[in-house]
Amino acid sequence: MPTPYFEVAHLTKHFSTDESTVAAIQDVSFSLQKGQFLSILGPSGCGKSTLFNLIAGLMQPDCGDIRLQGESMLLRPGLTGYMLQKDLLLPWRTIADNIVLPKALHGTRRQAALKSAVSDIAACGLRDLLNRRPDECSGGQRQRAALVRTLQTGKPLLLLDEPFGALDAITRLHLQALLTEIATKKRLTILFVTHDVDEALLLSDAILVMGTAPGRILRQYTLEEPRPRTMRVLSQPEFIRVKGEILTLLDKEVTADA
Ligand SMILES: Nc1ncnc2c1ncn2[C@@H]1O[C@H](COP(=O)(O)OP(=O)(O)OP(=O)(O)O)[C@@H](O)[C@H]1O
Ligand SMILES: [Mg+2]
């Protein structure tokens, strides 16, 4: 077996509070090849953001390993671009100054950073918004700016935590297509948290369905249908079957939790 490009092996993380200890992630394992798109579905509290925080190196696991090209990432954080659940654009900076931030933090001058972002800015339709502040933009515009900012990290592995969660259906479709196009062009490997089963089916090479208490993988799916896909795939029998199974799994989790 060739070494996978990215691998999570037996990852476990507990949190202790005054009242109790929570197994936020327990024995989570999966792997991806370069350029693959993985979606993670699961009820609130099943450990999706914790998994991302561990992969991003923002916290250490109790046990297990995370490997990129066979090398542990635990001692080498900073190998991922991370778009958090909230867009976290800095409100006092313009869209342009938010976008250049990842490169500016590494010493690149503003003009040079902006120049290297030009194609992403154009692809995401932000050319006319560069001088606005985030509070002068719509939700969809802010999400596009956050996506472009994440792309400027230049990292080959992206963690996107519900990036389109708060958007209307049309804006969401537009951004899904955009993300697929950019990811394919740059051969990015993407881990994507969503609560939308159709979105996962449309975008992914693989889907993890997680359960809660303890946060663990219930099922892993591989979708062979080539990407990019159109909404039409959702009416194919195989997609309908997988969607039904996923919804049943999620329903059981939510019911068990109630
Ligand atoms: N810093 C922390 N201290 C204590 N418990 C935590 C901490 N962070 C997360 N948890 C707990 O760990 C579990 C997993 O949380 P996490 O935020 O990873 O869930 P999630 O799947 O991202 O949920 P959501 O879909 O609501 O974003 C939850 O029970 C949560 O309360
Ligand atoms: Mg979360």
Side-chain angles (χ1 to χ4, degrees), residues 41 98 112 165 182 221 233:
L41 287 162
N98 269 285
I182 292 172
Y221 291 92
V233 295

Side-chain angles (χ1 to χ4, degrees), residues 44-45 47-50 85 161-162 193 195:
S44 184
K48 303 178 295 294
S49 296
T50 302
Q85 238 167 324
D161 196 347
E162 282 192 66
V193 168
H195 284 285

Side-chain angles (χ1 to χ4, degrees), residues 35-91:
Q36 283 196 310
F37 193 114
L38 173 88
S39 286
I40 303 171
L41 287 162
S44 184
C46 73
K48 303 178 295 294
S49 296
T50 302
L51 176 64
F52 276 14
N53 289 337
L54 290 165
I55 296 170
L58 299 179
M59 52 177 71
Q60 289 292 309
D62 301 332
C63 58
D65 201 2
I66 305 165
R67 291 185 277 266
L68 191 67
Q69 296 182 298
E71 271 188 53
S72 178
M73 292 167 71
L74 298 182
L75 300 172
R76 291 173 61 216
L79 297 173
T80 54
Y82 191 0
M83 184 167 160
L84 295 154
Q85 238 167 324
K86 290 189 190 136
D87 69 50
L88 295 182
L89 294 170
L90 300 178

Side-chain angles (χ1 to χ4, degrees), residues 156-170:
L157 182 68
L158 296 190
L159 309 171
L160 307 179
D161 196 347
E162 282 192 66
F164 310 145
L167 303 178
D168 67 88
I170 302 291

Side-chain angles (χ1 to χ4, degrees), residues 8-14 23-30 46 51 54 61-65 208-211 214-220:
V8 167
H10 306 294
L11 207 63
T12 297
K13 176 75 181 175
H14 292 85
I25 291 284
Q26 184 162 289
D27 198 22
V28 165
S29 300
F30 63 91
C46 73
L51 176 64
L54 290 165
D62 301 332
C63 58
D65 201 2
L208 294 185
V209 184
M210 292 184 64
R216 68 210 186 280
I217 296 176
L218 299 174
R219 234 3 248 273
Q220 301 197 27

